[in-house]
């Protein structure tokens, strides 16, 4: 058995995982930072090109309490207010710390520049530039991580299961993608920072490794998930022409700033027919824009790639250049000349508000098991403000690392080689070994993505969700074990895809089951058969796994009764 040992094991090295590693190392803990991709180069953080929200108040007067108020409003009553407060009050310190560590936030003289974004009542969103915010913060964190001797980094390890003993997390089993062998990691505490789930959907803004594995790992370990029905669909994700090396959700700020027109496939403006005043103003909210686009497509008035046109041709080139900055030349290298042609856009799965249920120390109900970043549910309730996600990754990462690092001081090492061997043998026996030719795991992944888009996408009905639930169970119970894994050895994509698919199916089922139970429309969860907000559902939905079946129950949202935190 190949083994490694550490105090704190961190699964996923995006913004949250790297911040957690730095923070745990500051507590003198030894840290093992694992990622199925390369450290600091997989997942969403490095892809984000836009902005990070924090009440620095450098552009205009602002404070953390106002940021919190805006966040709670966007969350439609379902935020875990303690977590939201941690996010908003912890943001400024993290942004300034990142600056100290080398992130060059865009400045106007002495001030950090901050922009307004939909849902924020102040100019609060900072950025490096509109192409490099994510890459820049990821580079800062990678550098900082590499300076700390207590942090050991392992790339190309996909964690496929956790080892739990007497209700306490004591290790994990990883698949080493480089040689196709398993490795056991013994740890006193584990932080799940493996990001979101948007790869579950056919149309997504995700990287290839956002299949929702953190949620499945948490469920299998006995932890709880919360509000899994709240997947955020970004209304104007890029569809066509093909865009290489650019953020597929880049259009939003430009649309608001410049007044990009949304046109249907007949080149006619249509959003006003769906209850928004958009003509001439272009300010329809994200949910109305998404609904209007999908309804036009349904009525046969979509664009060739199934969306709407976003048109800037009415804006003079000088104004376009001033607003888009370097982005306009990058678009030209992609063959997109905004003065001549509109682009095609449409709703795309972008972020997950739900996730692993944690307390204010980022700890799950399993002792020693923590979560951080997008993997955590609750801080953004039923809808997230733009810019809050990277702040969440930094703040929750720092907090999870600090709390886990502190807790392991009181934990003795709890390595159980026998139990680890049992876990390893079980995992190794799971992938099908049949030599007969069959369906490859990636083909079933594509089927699942299509199913999720069609039946559990931006607009849902009970009928569609029930059908999705039935098909997912069939995939889990029958098809998963009959897939073909061709060959073995180094970088066996079939084996990786198979383990990823196994987690994707569990997570997809949690999303669908939760969406089916919430018989109302609120925030990002829109049911065409229950189009209104129902006060009876002013509750969080909690999902657990018992004997292989998902159980859902309801809980009152955590309210801030201890008063507002101070900036720490
Ligand atoms: C295109 C795009 C643009 C965005 N723009 C913005 C923006 O402008 N502002 C904003 O606030 N937010 C934005 N977001 C959202 C934000 O980037 C994410 O919510 C945030 O970066 C998540 O950070 P994280 O560390 O939790 O996860 P990630 O950065 O996704 O990192 C998770 C890591 O876990 C690894 N991993 C996954 N599964 C496993 C496993 N089983 N074993 C080991 N490792 C695993 C992945 O490889 C990855 O490296 C954007 C997201 C996308 C996709």
């Amino acid at each position: 058995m190949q083994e490694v040992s550490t105090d704190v094991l961190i699964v996923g090295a995006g913004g949250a995982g790297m911040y957690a590693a730095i923070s745990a190392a500051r507590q003198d803990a030894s840290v093992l930072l694992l990622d199925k991709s390369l450290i600091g180069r997989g997942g969403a953080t490095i892809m984000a090109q836009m902005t990070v929200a924090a009440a620095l108040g450098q552009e205009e007067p602002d404070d953390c309490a106002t940021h919190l108020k805006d966040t709670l409003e966007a969350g439609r009553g379902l935020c875990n207010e303690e977590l939201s407060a941690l996010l908003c009050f912890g943001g400024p310190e993290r942004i300034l710390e990142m600056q100290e560590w080398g992130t060059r936030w865009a400045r106007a003289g002495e001030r950090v520049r901050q922009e307004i974004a939909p849902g924020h009542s102040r100019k609060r969103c900072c950025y490096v530039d509109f192409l490099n915010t994510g890459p820049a913060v990821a580079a800062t964190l990678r550098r900082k991580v590499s300076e700390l001797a207590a942090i050991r980094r392992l790339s190309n390890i996909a964690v496929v299961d956790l080892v739990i003993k007497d209700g306490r997390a004591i290790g994990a089993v990883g698949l080493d993608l480089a040689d196709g062998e398993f490795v056991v990691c013994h740890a006193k505490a584990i932080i799940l920072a493996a990001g979101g789930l948007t790869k579950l959907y056919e149309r997504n803004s995700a990287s290839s490794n956002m299949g929702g594995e953190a949620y499945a790992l948490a469920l299998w370990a006995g932890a709880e998930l919360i509000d899994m029905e709240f997947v955020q669909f970004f209304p104007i994700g890029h569809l066509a022409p093909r865009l290489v090396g650019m953020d597929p959700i880049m259009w939003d700020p430009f649309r608001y700033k410049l007044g990009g027109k949304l046109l249907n496939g007949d080149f006619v403006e249509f959003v006003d027919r769906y209850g928004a005043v958009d003509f001439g103003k272009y300010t329809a909210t994200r949910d109305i824009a998404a609904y209007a686009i999908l309804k036009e497509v349904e009525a046969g008035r979509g664009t060739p790639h199934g969306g709407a046109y976003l048109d800037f041709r009415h804006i003079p080139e000088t104004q376009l250049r001033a607003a888009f900055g370097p982005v306009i030349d990058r678009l030209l290298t992609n063959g997109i000349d905004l003065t001549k042609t509109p682009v095609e856009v449409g709703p795309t799965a972008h972020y997950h508000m739900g996730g692993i249920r944690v307390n204010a120390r980022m700890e799950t109900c399993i002792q020693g098991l923590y979560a951080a970043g997008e993997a955590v549910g609750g801080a953004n309730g039923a809808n997230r403000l733009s810019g809050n996600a990277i702040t969440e990754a930094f703040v929750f990462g720092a907090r999870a690392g600090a709390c886990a690092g502190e807790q392991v001081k009181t934990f003795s090492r709890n390595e159980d080689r026998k139990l680890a061997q049992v876990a390893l043998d079980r995992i190794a026996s799971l992938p099908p070994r049949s030599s007969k030719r069959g369906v490859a795991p990636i083909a079933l992944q594509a089927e699942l993505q299509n199913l999720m888009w069609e039946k559990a996408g931006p607009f849902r009905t009970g009928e569609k969700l029930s059908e999705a639930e039935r098909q997912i169970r069939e995939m889990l119970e029958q098809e998963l074990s009959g897939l073909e894994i061709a060959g073995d050895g180094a970088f066996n994509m079939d084996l990786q895809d198979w383990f990823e698919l196994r987690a994707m199916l569990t997570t997809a089922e949690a999303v669908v089951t939760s969406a089916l139970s919430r018989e109302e429309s609120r925030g990002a969860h829109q049911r065409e058969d229950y189009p209104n907000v129902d006060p009876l559902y002013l509750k969080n939905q909690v999902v657990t796994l018992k004997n292989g079946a998902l159980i859902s129950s309801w809980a009152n949202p955590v309210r801030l009764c201890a008063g507002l935190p101070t900036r720490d």
Side-chain angles (χ1 to χ4, degrees):
M1 180 166 69
Q2 186 86 36
E3 296 166 282
V4 281
S5 288
T6 185
D7 287 339
V8 179
L9 169 67
I10 299 172
V11 183
M18 288 192 284
Y19 231 118
I22 295 162
S23 219
R26 280 170 163 174
Q27 296 285 333
D28 294 327
S30 63
V31 179
L32 182 60
L33 178 61
L34 293 186
D35 202 288
K36 67 188 289 188
S37 175
L38 301 178
I39 297 291
R41 294 183 194 275
T45 304
I46 199 165
M47 296 174 76
Q49 290 183 349
M50 294 295 162
T51 60
V52 186
L56 297 173
Q58 298 207 5
E59 197 76 51
E60 63 175 332
D62 192 10
D63 55 72
C64 300
T66 311
H67 186 186
L68 176 61
K69 185 170 166 284
D70 294 345
T71 298
L72 299 185
E73 238 166 68
R76 312 287 207 283
L78 291 193
C79 290
N80 174 326
E81 295 183 2
E82 255 176 28
L83 295 183
S84 319
L86 287 171
L87 188 165
C88 298
F89 280 75
E93 190 185 348
R94 297 281 81 89
I95 295 300
L96 297 176
E97 188 168 57
M98 290 291 289
Q99 179 173 290
E100 241 172 68
W101 293 345
T103 302
R104 293 160 68 167
W105 301 113
R107 308 187 79 85
E110 288 298 298
R111 296 191 327 265
V112 171
R113 293 181 76 147
Q114 296 188 278
E115 293 280 348
I116 190 95
H120 289 282
S121 60
R122 302 282 194 279
K123 287 186 175 175
R124 182 178 290 145
C125 295
C126 30
Y127 54 96
V128 171
D129 60 40
F130 284 129
L131 286 171
N132 286 308
T133 299
V137 299
T140 301
L141 290 170
R142 280 200 308 271
R143 199 166 45 245
K144 191 74 195 163
V145 161
S146 71
E147 285 167 12
L148 296 169
I151 305 173
R152 186 170 166 199
R153 293 161 287 166
L154 285 183
S155 295
N156 291 323
I157 306 278
V159 169
V160 291
D161 208 7
L162 301 182
V163 185
I164 308 295
K165 183 183 181 186
D166 304 329
R168 180 173 151 190
I170 61 161
V173 180
L175 171 66
D176 185 339
L177 308 177
D179 63 9
E181 299 291 338
F182 294 95
V183 53
V184 167
C185 311
H186 301 283
K188 291 185 187 174
I190 301 173
I191 300 173
L192 291 173
L197 54 61
T198 45
K199 191 188 166 183
L200 291 182
Y201 287 89
E202 188 177 24
R203 269 195 198 168
N204 64 60
S205 63
S207 75
S208 68
N209 37 17
M210 291 163 68
E213 289 162 76
Y215 312 111
L217 288 168
L219 270 183
W220 294 329
E224 298 165 324
L225 303 184
I226 190 166
D227 291 346
M228 290 298 284
E229 60 274 37
F230 292 108
V231 178
Q232 185 169 60
F233 295 92
F234 189 83
I236 52 168
H238 188 86
L239 297 181
R242 190 163 171 234
L243 199 58
V244 178
M246 297 188 75
D247 186 340
I249 58 126
M250 57 170 276
W251 295 112
D252 214 27
F254 302 120
R255 173 165 186 258
Y256 280 102
K257 216 184 220 172
L258 293 165
K261 289 183 192 174
L262 280 176
L263 310 176
N264 66 16
D266 303 327
F267 292 94
V268 174
E269 287 192 76
F270 60 94
V271 180
D272 280 36
R273 281 194 275 112
Y274 296 89
V277 184
D278 205 52
F279 295 170
K281 294 196 165 124
Y282 319 115
T283 50
T285 53
R286 286 180 174 183
D287 47 350
I288 293 182
Y291 184 75
I293 293 172
L294 290 179
K295 284 291 158 190
E296 286 297 289
V297 174
E298 219 174 85
R301 293 188 293 270
T303 58
H305 292 83
Y309 290 114
L310 177 62
D311 191 1
F312 292 99
R313 285 176 300 172
H314 56 293
I315 319 263
E317 188 174 350
T318 43
Q319 214 178 318
L320 285 176
R321 280 213 162 263
F324 277 89
V327 177
I328 202 124
D329 290 322
R330 187 74 76 89
L331 285 168
L332 280 171
T333 62
N334 272 278
I336 298 173
D337 181 347
L338 294 178
T339 63
K340 295 201 172 76
T341 34
V343 293
E344 285 182 63
V345 295
T348 189
H350 177 54
Y351 172 84
H352 189 40
M353 273 76 68
I356 302 169
R357 193 182 196 198
V358 294
N359 60 21
R361 291 174 52 81
M362 302 292 135
E363 196 176 17
T364 69
C365 60
I366 302 295
Q367 199 184 25
L369 183 62
Y370 296 77
E374 192 169 335
V376 166
N380 296 288
N383 203 12
R384 170 183 72 95
L385 290 181
S386 64
N388 266 9
I390 292 187
T391 315
E392 172 184 68
F394 294 167
V395 173
F396 289 3
R399 194 162 176 88
C403 293
E406 186 190 296
Q407 194 185 37
V408 294
K409 291 178 188 159
T410 63
F411 278 180
S412 55
R413 228 176 225 148
N414 199 5
E415 287 174 17
D416 187 330
R417 301 198 71 227
K418 222 160 118 194
L419 191 65
Q421 185 69 56
V422 171
L424 191 147
D425 290 344
R426 193 182 71 81
I427 286 297
S429 73
L430 287 178
R433 300 277 171 220
S434 153
S435 57
K436 75 175 176 5
R437 291 201 61 74
V439 176
I442 196 73
L444 196 58
Q445 276 198 18
E447 216 178 290
L448 173 67
Q449 289 171 316
N450 179 269
L451 178 73
M452 289 299 283
W453 183 256
E454 293 296 330
K455 310 280 186 208
F459 296 98
R460 303 156 171 182
T461 64
E463 200 182 325
K464 285 196 216 168
L465 290 165
S466 299
E467 177 56 20
E469 196 175 44
R470 190 190 66 71
Q471 288 193 39
I472 291 170
R473 283 249 51 97
E474 201 172 289
M475 290 177 186
L476 260 170
E477 285 165 8
Q478 292 162 33
E479 298 177 47
L480 188 63
S481 57
L483 297 173
E484 182 191 350
I485 296 179
D488 50 17
F491 292 104
N492 182 334
M493 294 311 290
D494 277 351
L495 193 60
Q496 296 177 35
D497 292 341
W498 188 87
F499 275 105
E500 189 177 73
L501 173 63
R502 172 175 172 258
M504 285 171 79
L505 285 167
T506 297
T507 300
E509 193 183 13
V511 172
V512 168
T513 305
S514 305
L516 198 50
S517 305
R518 185 177 286 280
E519 295 182 332
E520 65 158 353
S521 290
R522 183 188 296 268
H525 171 67
Q526 293 294 316
R527 289 276 301 253
E528 290 188 283
D529 44 355
Y530 295 97
N532 301 317
V533 176
D534 183 342
L536 280 177
Y537 285 101
L538 188 59
K539 295 208 185 297
N540 297 122
Q541 188 169 186
V542 180
V543 173
T544 51
L545 195 61
K546 296 248 155 62
N547 304 322
L550 289 174
I551 313 284
S552 105
S553 59
W554 300 92
N556 288 324
V558 174
R559 301 294 180 212
L560 253 187
C561 32
L564 295 174
T566 50
R567 273 191 191 186
D568 51 14

